[in-house]
Amino acid sequence: MCANLGHDLVPKSYIFSFDFKEAFGLFDRVGDSQVAYNQVADIMRALGQNPTNKDVTTILGNPTADDMANKRLNFDAFLPMLKQVDALPKGTYDDYVEGLRVFDKEGNGTVMGAELRIVLSTLGEKMSEPEIDALMAGQEDENGSVHYEAFVKHIMSV
């Protein structure tokens, strides 16, 4: 497919690649058209992906902490990595609801917000308190409960 930009027909794949390249360039702090390994996950997230840190580390070839801070890569090396992340299996709405249903002790479609905060900070890829606060903002009712189906919809729309 092509997009009509003015009078020229430009392939859409080029436009998307250009948008990705432009976003990639925003993370270039040195001006050498490269980014540090430790920025790769943030760039992928800025481009709409949601890889785990483990996924990114694996895709980068399991670099050392020193490599994460000091090694750099250009856009041409980054793009295949982004495609790898995009191909990773993603959880569905039903997967997330089923996972939270385990914590629904009363079977009423809710989980305690405090319990959910503990889970988010201790299991899997642990979240920080500010991240949890941002995620949970406006999700707890007057009793401190979270309606998990609405919560999952909220998370998936962010």
Side-chain angles (χ1 to χ4, degrees):
M1 293 191 95
C2 293
N4 190 354
L5 299 177
H7 298 289
D8 302 321
L9 289 177
V10 179
K12 279 193 175 184
S13 61
Y14 174 80
I15 294 168
F16 295 134
S17 179
F18 179 78
D19 288 344
F20 290 164
K21 191 169 190 169
E22 187 176 350
F24 179 89
L26 295 174
F27 287 82
D28 175 10
R29 296 182 183 146
V30 179
D32 63 353
S33 298
Q34 297 187 71
V35 298
Y37 273 27
N38 62 12
Q39 294 176 289
V40 170
D42 293 334
I43 299 167
M44 289 178 173
R45 291 181 186 116
L47 293 172
Q49 299 300 314
N50 194 20
T52 64
N53 290 336
K54 183 179 179 183
D55 290 337
V56 174
T57 300
T58 301
I59 289 168
L60 287 170
N62 298 309
T64 65
D66 186 54
D67 288 344
M68 287 297 286
N70 297 310
K71 276 196 170 181
R72 301 176 62 74
L73 59 94
N74 63 25
F75 181 73
D76 291 334
F78 170 77
L79 197 55
M81 294 177 184
L82 182 64
K83 288 179 182 177
Q84 262 185 283
V85 165
D86 187 49
L88 292 173
K90 294 165 182 58
T92 66
Y93 170 81
D94 291 333
D95 292 335
Y96 294 119
V97 168
E98 193 62 35
L100 289 172
R101 188 171 286 130
V102 171
F103 299 99
D104 183 1
K105 293 175 178 61
E106 297 178 21
N108 62 1
T110 64
V111 294
M112 291 304 301
E115 187 173 17
L116 187 52
R117 287 174 182 275
I118 290 168
V119 168
L120 293 171
S121 67
T122 59
L123 296 179
E125 192 162 331
K126 298 162 187 64
M127 295 178 71
S128 68
E129 285 300 318
E131 290 172 327
I132 294 169
D133 289 342
L135 187 66
M136 298 284 292
Q139 297 300 309
E140 294 174 280
D141 66 16
E142 63 278 355
N143 299 320
S145 296
V146 174
H147 294 271
Y148 54 85
E149 289 185 9
F151 180 67
V152 170
K153 285 179 185 172
H154 166 70
I155 290 171
M156 294 187 86
S157 69
V158 174

